[in-house]
Amino acid sequence: MNRHIPFNRLHNFRDLGGYTTEDGRTVRWGRVFRADALSKLKATTEADAEDWNRFLALGIRTVIDLRYPWEIEAKGRVPEHPTLTYHNQSIEHRPYDQPSLGPSVAPGPYLAARYLEVAEDGVKEIRETLELIATADEGPVVFHCASGKDRTGLVAALVLTLLGVPEKTIVEDFTLTERATARLLADWHATNPDRPQIWPAYGKAPAEVMTEFLSALKTRHGSIQAYVTDTLGLDTTFTESLRTALLDPPLTFRRATENDLPTLVRLRDEAARWQLAHGIDQWKPGQLGEPHFRTRLAEGEVWLALQGDQIAGAWELWWDDPAAWGPQPPTAAYIHRLMTDRRVAPPGTGRLMLTEAERRIAASGRTLSRLDCLSSNPRLREYYQAAGYTVVGEQSAKDGGLGSPYAVTLLERRLH
C-alpha cells in the first residue's frame, strides 16, 4: 500500500489511515496526515496551483507546524486560507545540524537520543499538538516539520501508539520516509549549493531510529501511555477521545433474520467472484440462494458483522456437521461460510468474526470450534492455522450438496 499522496513540490505527504490496531479496529482514512514543509505549497505556477488545489481537496481544517519560528520566518508557512486554522507548535528546543554530522555518526543511537530530548523538552507543545489532533472528528488534521521525518515521526509514533497500532507497524510507518529521501536530498542540495559535505544518513529513516527511541521512552517512563499520562498530563480519557476521533467504529454483531437473506446471497456471490478472480477454484456464484440460508437460520445460526450501520461480513454456525465430520458428540460447533464485504470490512474483519464465533460457541458450553476448507486451498488452511486452528484430518469425499463430492481439510481449535 502506497500511502504517499503525490504532489509536485511536497515529497513526504502521507495519510495515517488504514492501520489496524491490536484490538482489530482501523485508523480512519482521510482524518490525519503527516507531511514535509507545507511552506512549499504556492500558487505562482501551474504546478504550484495543482498542488494547492490537491491539498485543499483533502478537506484539511487544521495545520500543525512543528518547526521553529525562525524556520518559518526563513522558509514561510502554509498559505492562508479561510478553511484552514494554523498552529505553530515548535516541539524541538535544542537545534542540531544533521547535514553537518560526520560519517561516523550512527543514525540509530544519535537520532533516538535527539527524539528523547524532544520528548522531554517539548512537553507543552507535544501535549497541545496531541489535543489538536484529537479534534480530527471536526475536520482533517495535518502535522508537519521540514522533511516530515524526525519531529513529524515522533508525533506520528505517539499518535499511533495511543490508538493501539502495533509497534512493528509504527516503525514501518517511520521508514516510509525512505521513499521520499532522494527528492528531499535534491531539495536540500538545491537550496545549499555551497555545502558539499553532507551526513550520509541525512534524509534516511532506518528502522532502528524509531525502535531505539520507543525503547528508550518506555525505559524512562514505563510505557508510552505512562509518558502521555504522567509527563504530558493527558489521561486515559484523552486517549479514548483520540481513539473515538481517529478509529473506525468497532465491529458489532447480530443474528441474521429472514430480512437479511438477499444480503447473505449477495455476500456469498461476491466472495465467489473474488475467489475466481484470484485463481481460487472453490465457490461459484449462484450456487447458494435464499433457500440455503433460510435452512441455516432454522437449523443453526447465521451471524452478521456490522461496521457502523453497514454489513461487513457474515458466517454460519452449525451445531453438527456429519457430511464432513461424521457423527460426533455435542462438544463442538462448526463455522461455515466466513465471508466479508471487501468494500466495507476493515482489515482483520475475518479474524474478528472468527473470535466472535468462538465466543458464541464457548457461551453455548461447547469446547471445540471446528471448520473445514478445500484440501486444494492451502492459503485458506494457512489463514486458519494462523488463527490458532490445528489440522486434525482429511475428508476425501465430502458431500456438501453441491452436486459432487470434494476433499476437505478438517481443522479445530480447543476453546477451554
Side-chain angles (χ1 to χ4, degrees):
M1 179 186 301
N2 184 4
R3 53 185 60 252
H4 278 81
I5 297 174
F7 288 88
N8 295 305
R9 289 289 298 121
L10 299 176
H11 311 318
N12 202 12
F13 196 107
R14 313 203 310 255
D15 194 329
L16 281 179
Y19 288 129
T20 303
T21 65
E22 298 276 12
D23 60 358
R25 295 176 68 180
T26 304
V27 182
R28 296 170 66 187
W29 288 101
R31 307 308 298 176
V32 60
F33 302 90
R34 53 177 294 174
D36 48 326
L38 297 183
S39 53
K40 291 183 281 188
L41 288 171
K42 312 285 184 185
T44 54
T45 69
E46 184 176 340
D48 291 339
E50 181 182 337
D51 275 1
W52 181 235
N53 291 333
R54 180 175 290 122
F55 175 79
L56 292 178
L58 295 172
I60 290 168
R61 294 294 175 262
T62 302
V63 175
I64 306 169
D65 191 335
L66 303 175
R67 297 174 300 164
Y68 289 98
W70 55 262
E71 289 179 276
I72 298 167
E73 185 177 350
K75 299 290 186 180
R77 47 154 281 187
V78 66
E80 293 188 15
H81 191 273
T83 64
L84 297 176
T85 301
Y86 174 82
H87 302 267
N88 179 212
Q89 298 288 346
S90 181
I91 66 173
E92 185 179 280
H93 291 199
R94 294 183 239 182
Y96 59 101
D97 186 13
Q98 285 192 37
S100 297
L101 295 174
S104 63
V105 177
Y110 180 82
L111 290 178
R114 302 292 77 72
Y115 293 8
L116 194 60
E117 289 175 354
V118 173
E120 301 296 340
D121 294 344
V123 168
K124 174 181 179 294
E125 294 85 359
I126 293 172
R127 179 181 65 249
E128 292 173 352
T129 295
L130 293 178
E131 289 174 330
L132 288 167
I133 292 170
T135 66
D137 55 345
E138 301 173 7
V141 175
V142 60
F143 55 94
H144 76 91
C145 55
S147 65
K149 176 174 74 78
D150 300 309
R151 290 164 286 187
T152 297
L154 184 154
V155 171
L158 292 177
V159 170
L160 293 176
T161 299
L162 292 176
L163 293 177
V165 174
E167 183 173 314
K168 179 177 181 291
T169 303
I170 294 169
V171 173
E172 289 172 352
D173 178 77
F174 174 75
T175 65
L176 290 180
T177 287
E178 297 273 356
R179 298 187 183 180
T181 296
R183 297 180 72 192
L184 292 169
L185 282 172
D187 273 2
W188 187 89
H189 284 295
T191 55
N192 296 273
D194 299 324
R195 292 183 63 183
Q197 183 176 350
I198 186 169
W199 185 37
Y202 181 68
K204 296 182 180 179
E208 59 265 24
V209 174
M210 184 54 64
T211 299
E212 292 184 29
F213 163 64
L214 293 175
S215 176
L217 195 62
K218 287 184 286 187
T219 297
R220 181 166 296 188
H221 295 276
S223 68
I224 307 300
Q225 180 64 62
Y227 163 75
V228 170
T229 301
D230 300 336
T231 301
L232 300 186
L234 298 171
D235 60 17
T236 54
T237 301
F238 167 79
T239 301
E240 286 307 310
S241 70
L242 186 74
R243 288 170 61 84
T244 298
L246 294 183
L247 296 181
D248 282 332
L251 286 178
T252 57
F253 305 96
R254 69 168 174 85
R255 291 275 293 271
T257 68
E258 185 87 7
N259 292 335
D260 297 309
L261 293 177
T263 298
L264 293 167
V265 173
R266 175 183 63 79
L267 282 174
R268 206 274 183 181
D269 284 349
E270 288 177 354
R273 283 189 282 270
W274 183 89
Q275 289 178 1
L276 291 173
H278 289 78
I280 302 170
D281 186 13
Q282 182 162 340
W283 293 356
K284 304 292 191 300
Q287 278 180 324
L288 301 179
E290 291 188 11
H292 165 84
F293 291 104
R294 186 176 289 111
T295 299
R296 297 323 314 163
L297 289 175
E299 297 182 1
E301 298 177 1
V302 182
W303 286 83
L304 299 175
L306 290 90
Q307 179 76 51
D309 59 357
Q310 295 184 290
I311 295 175
W315 73 92
E316 300 173 11
L317 194 59
W318 298 16
W319 300 114
D320 63 355
D321 185 8
W325 294 82
Q328 295 285 327
T331 57
Y334 306 83
I335 301 171
H336 284 276
R337 263 164 288 284
L338 192 77
M339 47 196 180
T340 61
D341 186 334
R342 294 176 180 275
R343 299 166 301 180
V344 175
T349 294
R351 187 70 66 86
L352 291 174
M353 293 196 301
L354 269 180
T355 300
E356 177 63 17
E358 292 159 3
R359 187 202 63 77
R360 175 71 186 103
I361 294 168
S364 75
R366 303 198 179 197
T367 59
L368 291 171
S369 175
R370 287 176 172 163
L371 46 81
D372 65 75
C373 65
L374 275 181
S375 298
S376 58
N377 191 345
R379 288 169 55 188
L380 186 57
R381 182 184 68 243
E382 290 166 2
Y383 175 83
Y384 288 131
Q385 287 177 306
Y389 284 78
T390 302
V391 175
V392 294
E394 298 282 335
Q395 163 62 275
S396 60
K398 175 182 175 179
D399 184 358
L402 298 177
S404 60
Y406 49 92
V408 295
T409 300
L410 306 177
L411 303 99
E412 70 178 19
R413 181 177 186 182
R414 185 165 295 278
L415 303 179
H416 296 295

